Amino acid sequence: MTARLWHDQARAKPLIAPPVKAITQLRAMSDSSRTRYLQHRRRWMRSLRFETPAIVQARTTLTDLVEDNAVSTPAAKDVIAVSAPFAVGKSTLVRTWAQDQYRQIIGDRLHHSQMPTWHREVGIVADEIPVVWLDLGAASKVRAFNIQLLQYFGYPISGAIHDLTARIHRILDAHRVRLLVVDDTNLLNLRHQDARDVLDHLKHVNTMLGQRGATMVLVGANLEDGAIFHDPQMAGRLRTISLKACTIDTPVEVATWQSTLAGVERLVLPYLPTAMPGILAGHHAPRVWRLTQGYLGDVARLIADAAYIAAQEDTWTIRTADLERSQLSRRAQAAAPRLRQPVTTRAAQAASVEVHAP
Ligand SMILES: Nc1ncnc2c1ncn2[C@@H]1O[C@H](COP(=O)(O)OP(=O)(O)O)[C@@H](O)[C@H]1O
Ligand SMILES: [Mg+2]
């Protein structure tokens, strides 16, 4: 990632929703226009981002913690850790939130393709880069971390580690950094003998940021089990946001799952002209859970695929068979058969909860 790419992504428009068409219009389309229409509809459904109460809460917590850091005394600040199992959606959540933060800070300057700037000193103009996003590589150590950071700003990466760190010091001021997000923090090499150095470096970077009222956000898989959480100094500063896939083990969770699917339904029902309201939030809710185990990325894929199969067979709804035939992720494929049994009890629970159809 680079600051330039981040800026371009913040300016990019989301995929436009296809036009809603009545069943008669859909059936009157030529084969080639219907194919194009269906491909657009499938891409759009796959790109949808669904909301759950946990996601909404996580975004609020992130914003609150960043604001607390910005106004508290200049020193080492709280570090935010966003932790979840693989593929739950932590990168998507933090990236979307961080892009919103960037847009708010940059304001009207987002309309320009060139990087926003600010007057650093009289006569000196620098790029304003308030948000930094690092995607760590496998087994990263201090040097790799510094290099990624410098590359984000387009600075030279030659020199000894301490020279690179000194350069980073200057960069944070020069570009008015307010937020540093480190994604895939679980890939930092914390098991190796270099673990101490990596941890010390993270703390040092956090101190540098803290002196400027800026915040570090660490995103990673199952961070609670790793060295960052077990380092006493680090643990004292961590504010943790834990995410998990939706579960349906209690009536409250079942209701949350159903209202999540009701949100999905509000988006996709206009594109399923023969489907009844409640088809996802009620009728298919237990099956969608079994096939996805509550992973929202898998839900998007499942619904897009099932709607595509149904439309190709001219039914324009989502049937049980369409769901069972869709292309599940390997993770979901592996788990779904194991869950065939318990879903019956879960279905009973789901049925006992009132369906809030959109
Ligand atoms: N809220 C959401 N709604 C729909 N799909 C989502 C959502 N969050 C994530 N996804 C999708 O789920 C998949 C995994 O998300 P990602 O953020 O990469 O997970 P993680 O970082 O936890 O491994 C991606 O394909 C992503 O587009
Ligand atoms: Mg990720």
Side-chain angles (χ1 to χ4, degrees), residues 15-19 26 34-48 268-273 303-312 316-318:
L15 188 61
I16 293 172
L26 292 163
R34 190 166 49 241
T35 303
R36 268 200 310 281
Y37 179 77
L38 288 184
Q39 280 166 349
H40 180 187
R41 194 185 71 155
R42 182 193 214 181
R43 262 202 322 281
W44 173 76
M45 285 186 185
R46 274 195 168 209
S47 75
L48 292 174
V268 302
L269 208 63
Y271 297 94
L272 305 172
I303 302 300
D305 280 2
Y308 190 70
I309 295 169
Q312 280 174 326
W316 303 99
T317 178
I318 291 182

Side-chain angles (χ1 to χ4, degrees), residues 42 46 287-293 295 297-306 309 322-337 339-340:
R42 182 193 214 181
R46 274 195 168 209
R287 186 174 309 278
V288 172
W289 189 85
R290 177 172 63 76
L291 292 170
T292 63
Q293 300 92 50
Y295 283 72
D298 287 330
V299 173
R301 178 197 288 245
L302 180 71
I303 302 300
D305 280 2
I309 295 169
D322 305 322
L323 291 169
E324 295 289 354
R325 279 162 61 199
S326 74
Q327 289 280 320
L328 300 176
S329 72
R330 285 191 64 77
R331 187 205 54 72
Q333 261 172 13
L339 294 162
R340 206 168 272 283

Side-chain angles (χ1 to χ4, degrees), residues 107 167 223 250-251 295 328:
R167 212 171 286 156
L223 294 179
T250 67
Y295 283 72
L328 300 176

Side-chain angles (χ1 to χ4, degrees), residues 48-50 55 85-93 296-297 300:
L48 292 174
R49 295 287 167 262
F50 310 133
I55 290 176
F86 289 106
V88 161
K90 50 196 175 305
S91 302
T92 303
L93 164 73
L296 296 178

Side-chain angles (χ1 to χ4, degrees), residues 97-325:
W97 167 81
Q99 288 260 329
D100 280 346
Q101 297 285 309
Y102 181 80
R103 289 191 202 98
Q104 275 173 29
I105 296 169
I106 297 304
D108 288 346
R109 293 174 293 165
L110 201 67
H111 302 312
H112 305 294
S113 63
Q114 68 264 39
M115 293 291 289
T117 53
W118 71 294
H119 287 275
R120 204 172 129 190
E121 291 165 36
V122 181
I124 301 183
V125 174
D127 287 345
E128 182 162 354
I129 303 177
V131 176
V132 183
W133 181 280
L134 302 189
D135 288 301
L136 288 184
S140 292
K141 299 182 193 174
V142 174
R143 188 175 184 83
F145 181 94
N146 278 350
I147 286 177
Q148 281 243 355
L149 199 48
L150 291 165
Q151 280 175 333
Y152 186 87
F153 294 91
Y155 277 70
I157 53 168
S158 56
I161 288 183
H162 62 268
D163 293 332
L164 303 186
T165 307
R167 212 171 286 156
I168 289 167
H169 233 286
R170 291 193 294 274
I171 285 173
L172 297 180
D173 285 328
H175 300 291
R176 291 225 274 205
V177 173
R178 302 195 203 172
L179 184 65
L180 166 64
V181 183
V182 186
D183 195 14
D184 288 329
T185 311
N186 48 297
L187 296 181
L188 276 173
N189 194 348
L190 294 169
R191 258 182 241 112
H192 198 262
Q193 57 190 15
D194 300 310
R196 195 68 271 142
D197 290 348
V198 174
L199 277 172
D200 286 345
H201 190 59
L202 281 181
K203 287 182 235 169
H204 180 59
V205 170
N206 187 47
T207 306
M208 286 197 272
L209 288 164
Q211 284 157 353
R212 293 155 178 86
T215 299
M216 180 156 78
V217 181
L218 304 176
V219 184
N222 307 317
L223 294 179
E224 292 89 345
D225 306 331
I228 293 176
F229 273 64
H230 291 110
D231 176 89
Q233 212 183 340
M234 203 63 180
R237 301 219 163 279
L238 282 177
R239 298 291 168 264
T240 311
I241 297 173
S242 299
L243 298 170
K244 63 182 183 71
C246 299
T247 43
I248 53 168
D249 295 325
T250 67
V252 171
E253 287 175 354
V254 170
T256 305
W257 176 239
Q258 289 186 317
S259 68
T260 302
L261 289 183
V264 177
E265 217 179 279
R266 267 191 291 282
L267 296 168
V268 302
L269 208 63
Y271 297 94
L272 305 172
T274 66
M276 296 299 285
I279 185 169
L280 292 177
H283 183 62
H284 288 313
R287 186 174 309 278
V288 172
W289 189 85
R290 177 172 63 76
L291 292 170
T292 63
Q293 300 92 50
Y295 283 72
L296 296 178
D298 287 330
V299 173
R301 178 197 288 245
L302 180 71
I303 302 300
D305 280 2
Y308 190 70
I309 295 169
Q312 280 174 326
E313 296 180 1
D314 201 35
T315 54
W316 303 99
T317 178
I318 291 182
R319 301 162 302 180
T320 300
D322 305 322
L323 291 169
E324 295 289 354
R325 279 162 61 199

